Amino acid sequence: MASLLQGRLPISQDVLLMQKGTMMRKVRSKNWKKLRYFRLKEDGMTVWHARQVGGRAKASFSISDVETVRNGHESEVLRSLAEEFPLEQGFTIVFHGRRSNLDLVANSVEEAQIWMKGLQLLVDFVTNMDQQERLDQPGWLSDWFQRGDKNQDGRMSFHEVQRLLRLMNVEMEQEHAFQLFQAADTSQSDTLEGQEFIEFYKALTKRVEVLELFGNFSADGQKLTLLEFVDFLQEEQKEGDHASDLALELIDRHEPSESGKLRHVLSMDGFLSYLYSKDGDIFNPSCLPIYQDMTQPLNHYYINSSHNTYLVGDQLCGQSSVEGYIRALKRGCRCVEVDVWDGPSGEPVVYHGHTLTSRILFKEVVATLAQYAFQTSDYPVILSLENHCSWEQQEIIAHHLTEILGDQLLSTTLDGQLPTQLPSPEELQKKILVKGKKLSTLEEDLEEEEELETELEGEQEPELEPQFESETQELSPRSKDKNEKKSKAILCPSLSALVIYTKTVSFYNFTHSREHYRFYELSSFSETKAKNLIKETGNEFVQHNAWQLSRVYPSGLRTDSSNYNPQEFWNAGCQMVAMNVQTAGLEMDIYDGLFRQNGGCGYVLKPEFLRDTHSSFHPERPISPFKAQTLQIQVISGQQLPKVDKTKEGSIVDPLVRVEIFGVRPDTTRQETSYVENNGFNPYWGQTLCFQLLVPELAMLRFLVKDYNWTSRNDFIGQYTLPWTCMQQGYRHIHLLSKDGTSLHPASLFVHICMLEALGEVES
């Protein structure tokens, strides 16, 4: 089996040397360094490690887990060891999701280069492997063979196959399993090897429900003609008038045989390939690239925002790290937070104030922004500055921002003129905006610049105002004077000058904001304050967010870095709903689901009724300007669901599917199927769930697969979350994700989606 996979893997001298193994130091901190023997297995897909050469080895990671490989200079941990080892000997393996990085130090620069180049070659191979190759010959199939082949003789007996079936999460009658085994054993050796195992696996994964669907549209049961496939796309997939052109494209893309492509027919294999691909995914592929209008003002968009970005753990004693910024930016965050305090030797530091969290230099954070801000998206990054520094160190902050960011930093209005509305993401591409307090207005700044240019007047003394407000405070008009008197420091003019379109101001009430504030001024709200405003003055909040930016942040009581549900704040049009992105869970599933669309660029256009300053929409008493909708979801089947408890060889899941809808309060609901006993491999439900939605434009759908357990809460198996507006109708696959948001390939659900327009206006 390994040799079959090897034939398709890129083989280089580096990969061959990795398979021989290398002793390297595994590093967790300046004081934790352990020698370990790392070796790439023969399958080319997994790296194992042991305490010493010949020692008992265990799996360290799979190549498919790796996002990228970085050199030693980019690692905080390895830089702290620069006096002990040359940085060129170190490298960092970065994993998908929230798994901690693996820092390694080789015995020589040459050895480090071998592993860096070899790993990156394999990572690129896995990343570029197309869907059909993954179905035909995936790395995980080789891994299954090795796990089933208990005596490691390269052959699998029927007894080993029975054991493997339980490992694969399927309980099958012995007689049926033996029939599949015999049919695959073409050599009649009473064992399976190589291609025989692949044929056995294909028989095992045969999709009866897809065969039946294929037969409903195929006249001869052997193929779909072009016209038959067009009928399927129009009737079931709701593809509309362009179905004929689309059918030709899909046949060319998914039909494996050249003769089939020439004759414009689709075989059963081609049909399954289509259904299992991005074209047959529940997520509309037209919503994957940037498809929205990006020329509207910033306040018309939901903006992917991070809270306490520097933390990779909890808020009391967790680790502060630039890795938090790297991960946030690479996952599409466009608003990151920096809590900056006076540091030793005149250098400001970033950490969660008055706690035991570790500290990082502000200039390192800025350097990280300069490097990673626009790797995932070209659209602007907002630097939410929580400034607790003295005048002297504020000047250092301004110096670092200006010197390190250079042209990336927006330090004046785009054309030097006074704007009448916020600029668009399109206009602000590749720009970093500082969000914070400002000593003056843009009008005064521009007037002063004109005066300086004409040399009619000298430099003016800045008006004194209190330092940046902390997000732990919420001011009322009566407490304003008291807080001004308590202010310990004055805002430094050089830092104030860097705040252009995102000036923070205290919030008193919506009337005060309309009468006294400008469109480039914004307020921050704690989750509690924002919830109360939505409840008490929801329509005013919607109108406010149609002309001014708002930022919502988690309660200070969330010391474990837990998250709130972002949906209720999106319902009111709040743009920057800041999340602890390092904490996985339902709330981040919803968040990731919304920002999965539009190229993952971090900006999603709000519905039209949330962009209107005269909107009548109230998130607590919603009446949609559009028709209400009925959603019917038939949950048909599941494919290769992972085991929940991998430590128990005999345990098999009893899966059920829960469909959850998050939107305005009347739309927020859930329903679930019954559970299928002892089958995680190919469970069949065939159950239809029905939902009524008042405001589908705001709805998020979450498909959750759980392992039924009557003695306790059901255990999580996988999930997938997406916006209603990005959902495709018809027969669709849902490719499940882990708690961490990473792929659980090949685990999926097969469903049928039907949307119907409800009759008449519907009110809550």
Side-chain angles (χ1 to χ4, degrees):
M1 187 69 189
S3 61
L4 282 172
L5 186 57
Q6 286 263 18
R8 305 179 74 136
L9 279 171
I11 299 300
S12 69
Q13 191 62 32
D14 297 322
V15 170
L16 294 173
L17 289 170
M18 287 164 63
Q19 289 177 334
K20 290 184 177 179
T22 310
M23 288 296 294
M24 292 186 280
R25 284 176 177 81
K26 180 179 177 181
V27 182
R28 288 184 183 162
S29 68
K30 194 168 184 177
N31 300 318
W32 196 102
K33 305 179 286 288
K34 307 280 186 182
L35 272 172
R36 294 288 184 266
Y37 178 67
F38 286 88
R39 186 170 77 85
L40 176 69
K41 294 283 281 186
E42 285 73 16
D43 64 2
M45 285 286 118
T46 50
V47 172
W48 291 56
H49 73 276
R51 290 181 180 272
Q52 57 198 22
V53 179
R56 185 177 177 184
K58 58 181 180 179
S60 184
F61 60 87
S62 167
I63 297 298
S64 59
D65 296 333
V66 180
E67 180 185 311
T68 190
V69 185
R70 298 190 201 137
N71 64 49
H73 294 271
E74 296 182 65
S75 165
E76 290 169 271
V77 173
L78 295 178
R79 283 202 304 270
S80 71
L81 300 173
E83 293 179 4
E84 294 181 55
F85 310 103
L87 284 172
E88 292 76 15
Q89 281 180 219
F91 61 97
T92 303
I93 299 170
V94 181
F95 299 101
H96 294 291
R98 293 171 178 83
R99 179 173 172 178
S100 298
N101 295 348
L102 176 59
D103 286 300
L104 298 172
V105 177
N107 291 315
S108 68
V109 175
E110 291 73 26
E111 282 187 356
Q113 285 297 313
I114 286 167
W115 276 83
M116 286 177 68
K117 289 191 291 184
L119 281 171
Q120 198 60 59
L121 182 72
L122 294 172
V123 169
D124 292 343
F125 167 75
V126 170
T127 304
N128 296 326
M129 190 189 294
D130 69 30
Q131 189 66 43
Q132 193 58 45
E133 284 179 304
R134 293 185 78 180
L135 281 169
D136 288 348
Q137 191 65 276
W140 43 261
L141 188 50
S142 169
D143 188 47
W144 278 128
F145 187 89
Q146 293 202 11
R147 287 168 68 183
D149 183 15
K150 200 165 186 179
N151 61 3
Q152 297 293 296
D153 64 352
R155 300 166 178 268
M156 200 176 297
S157 66
F158 181 63
H159 177 71
E160 287 174 318
V161 164
Q162 287 179 294
R163 176 178 169 274
L164 177 64
L165 289 176
R166 297 196 71 82
L167 285 174
M168 295 175 92
N169 216 358
V170 61
E171 193 168 78
M172 184 180 287
E173 290 180 7
Q174 184 169 324
E175 186 178 343
H176 181 53
F178 189 60
Q179 285 175 351
L180 294 180
F181 179 88
Q182 283 187 312
D185 180 22
T186 53
S187 64
Q188 297 184 340
S189 62
D190 295 327
T191 59
L192 301 181
E193 51 187 306
Q195 191 62 38
E196 291 177 334
F197 178 73
I198 293 171
E199 294 306 320
F200 171 74
Y201 179 82
K202 284 183 175 179
L204 197 63
T205 53
K206 193 173 182 180
R207 301 279 300 278
V208 175
E209 72 279 20
V210 178
L211 276 169
E212 187 178 322
L213 177 62
F214 185 80
N216 290 342
F217 285 86
S218 169
D220 63 3
Q222 301 298 311
K223 64 183 180 303
L224 287 174
T225 65
L226 181 61
L227 288 177
E228 288 169 344
F229 190 36
V230 169
D231 285 345
F232 171 76
L233 293 176
Q234 288 179 330
E235 291 175 28
E236 296 295 349
Q237 308 300 76
K238 311 298 181 189
E239 293 292 0
D241 296 335
H242 72 299
S244 295
D245 292 335
L246 180 62
L248 287 168
E249 286 178 33
L250 294 175
I251 289 171
D252 193 53
R253 195 145 57 227
H254 298 289
E255 173 53 40
S257 77
E258 290 301 321
S259 63
K261 288 179 183 178
L262 286 170
R263 292 182 294 131
H264 297 157
V265 298
L266 196 64
S267 65
M268 177 61 199
D269 284 345
F271 185 62
L272 184 57
S273 170
Y274 152 68
L275 286 176
Y276 202 69
S277 73
K278 278 191 166 35
D279 297 307
D281 195 278
I282 190 170
F283 199 101
N284 192 331
S286 67
C287 295
L288 287 172
I290 294 170
Y291 71 100
Q292 295 180 331
D293 177 7
M294 302 305 289
T295 63
Q296 300 201 29
L298 277 186
N299 52 294
H300 284 186
Y301 298 85
Y302 296 121
I303 303 172
N304 192 330
S305 303
S306 165
H307 179 60
N308 290 345
T309 315
Y310 45 86
L311 289 180
V312 288
D314 66 60
Q315 297 178 22
L316 290 180
C317 49
Q319 182 190 358
S320 300
S321 169
V322 295
E323 189 63 36
Y325 291 94
I326 295 171
R327 291 185 182 190
L329 292 166
K330 293 198 81 167
R331 66 186 294 148
C333 276
R334 297 290 87 190
C335 177
V336 296
E337 186 182 21
V338 183
D339 274 15
V340 59
W341 302 75
D342 281 355
S345 309
E347 282 293 344
V349 292
V350 175
Y351 76 106
H352 200 53
H354 312 299
T355 66
L356 299 175
T357 57
S358 58
R359 306 173 185 207
I360 44 178
L361 290 173
F362 176 76
K363 64 181 178 183
E364 288 192 2
V365 171
V366 180
T368 301
L369 284 176
Q371 183 177 355
Y372 288 96
F374 304 109
Q375 284 194 7
T376 297
S377 167
D378 284 345
Y379 292 115
V381 169
I382 298 169
L383 182 60
S384 184
L385 203 59
E386 277 285 303
N387 173 23
H388 307 275
C389 289
S390 61
W391 178 292
E392 292 77 16
Q393 294 212 9
Q394 286 182 47
E395 290 188 318
I396 301 296
I397 290 173
H399 173 78
H400 287 329
L401 287 170
T402 307
E403 291 300 310
I404 298 172
L405 296 180
D407 291 341
Q408 290 180 323
L409 181 67
L410 185 81
S411 54
T412 183
T413 55
L414 288 177
D415 55 5
Q417 302 297 310
L418 184 67
T420 55
Q421 63 178 18
L422 285 174
S424 68
E426 191 76 35
E427 292 172 300
L428 290 168
Q429 283 192 76
K430 297 286 184 82
K431 289 296 180 185
I432 296 173
L433 285 66
V434 176
K435 168 184 153 316
K437 283 284 186 183
K438 188 173 178 64
L439 290 170
S440 54
T441 64
L442 274 183
E443 290 86 342
E444 289 166 340
D445 279 1
L446 292 168
E447 190 178 310
E448 189 175 318
E449 283 176 23
E450 283 180 19
E451 289 170 350
L452 286 169
E453 283 174 14
T454 56
E455 297 182 355
L456 293 175
E457 290 183 26
E459 190 175 340
Q460 296 180 346
E461 286 296 314
E463 180 188 344
L464 303 186
E465 281 193 13
Q467 97 175 71
F468 284 40
E469 239 173 74
S470 167
E471 287 186 349
T472 57
Q473 303 171 14
E474 276 187 5
L475 303 184
S476 65
R478 279 179 294 181
S479 65
K480 185 180 179 187
D481 294 339
K482 191 191 297 182
N483 276 277
E484 284 180 349
K485 287 174 186 173
K486 282 185 177 180
S487 179
K488 294 179 183 176
I490 299 167
L491 182 59
C492 160
S494 60
L495 185 54
S496 167
L498 299 181
V499 176
I500 310 299
Y501 297 117
T502 44
K503 174 185 176 182
T504 58
V505 290
S506 303
F507 177 81
Y508 305 125
N509 55 61
F510 293 121
T511 302
H512 179 272
S513 293
R514 279 196 305 272
E515 292 176 354
H516 295 93
Y517 291 153
R518 296 164 176 83
F519 62 85
Y520 57 81
E521 295 174 319
L522 67 100
S523 301
S524 289
F525 306 87
S526 72
E527 59 175 290
T528 308
K529 178 70 173 176
K531 282 181 181 179
N532 290 336
L533 288 171
I534 291 168
K535 196 172 183 179
E536 296 161 9
T537 52
N539 176 243
E540 283 189 86
F541 209 173
V542 167
Q543 293 180 354
H544 173 86
N545 289 325
W547 71 276
Q548 201 177 59
L549 285 166
S550 290
R551 183 176 188 267
V552 181
Y553 58 91
S555 160
L557 298 175
R558 294 183 181 273
T559 54
D560 58 350
S561 292
S562 60
N563 281 306
Y564 46 50
N565 186 335
Q567 187 69 49
E568 58 186 312
F569 307 115
W570 290 335
N571 292 344
C574 297
Q575 298 90 348
M576 293 182 281
V577 180
M579 304 287 281
N580 290 304
V581 298
Q582 73 272 27
T583 307
L586 161 68
E587 297 81 10
M588 277 310 300
D589 292 345
I590 296 170
Y591 207 80
D592 290 341
L594 179 78
F595 288 105
R596 186 166 284 123
Q597 64 183 307
N598 210 31
C601 75
Y603 286 83
V604 169
L605 192 63
K606 297 194 293 184
E608 191 177 354
F609 57 85
L610 294 180
R611 310 194 305 261
D612 178 5
T613 53
H614 301 291
S615 176
S616 61
F617 183 77
H618 193 304
E620 291 292 295
R621 298 185 290 279
I623 302 173
S624 173
F626 306 104
K627 290 280 180 73
Q629 299 258 334
T630 297
L631 171 65
Q632 292 178 346
I633 301 175
Q634 185 188 14
V635 181
I636 302 170
S637 62
Q639 294 76 45
Q640 292 157 274
L641 306 177
K643 291 166 73 76
V644 173
D645 187 354
K646 293 180 181 177
T647 60
K648 292 184 181 177
E649 188 175 302
S651 68
I652 293 175
V653 299
D654 304 321
L656 61 87
V657 179
R658 178 188 295 166
V659 178
E660 302 172 328
I661 296 184
F662 300 92
V664 294
R665 199 180 303 277
D667 291 348
T668 301
T669 185
R670 67 187 194 189
Q671 294 180 39
E672 63 186 34
T673 67
S674 56
Y675 67 92
V676 174
E677 196 168 348
N678 280 341
N679 190 349
F681 194 75
N682 54 0
Y684 181 85
W685 293 281
Q687 290 178 249
T688 300
L689 311 177
C690 193
F691 302 90
Q692 296 281 340
L693 282 92
L694 292 173
V695 193
E697 307 82 44
L698 288 173
M700 299 291 299
L701 272 77
R702 183 173 186 248
F703 293 83
L704 175 65
V705 186
K706 306 201 86 174
D707 180 15
Y708 173 77
N709 189 335
W710 68 272
T711 61
S712 64
R713 293 177 64 186
N714 298 337
D715 293 314
F716 176 97
I717 293 176
Q719 67 83 29
Y720 189 81
T721 309
L722 78 163
W724 169 289
T725 52
C726 297
M727 184 169 57
Q728 295 201 99
Q729 296 192 71
Y731 287 95
R732 303 293 173 184
H733 275 94
I734 299 168
H735 297 277
L736 296 174
L737 304 174
S738 70
K739 278 184 181 176
D740 219 20
T742 55
S743 171
L744 286 175
H745 181 84
S748 65
L749 294 177
F750 187 47
V751 299
H752 183 265
I753 305 287
C754 182
M755 289 184 246
L756 304 168
E757 198 171 88
L759 297 174
E761 289 285 347
V762 183
E763 273 188 41
S764 63

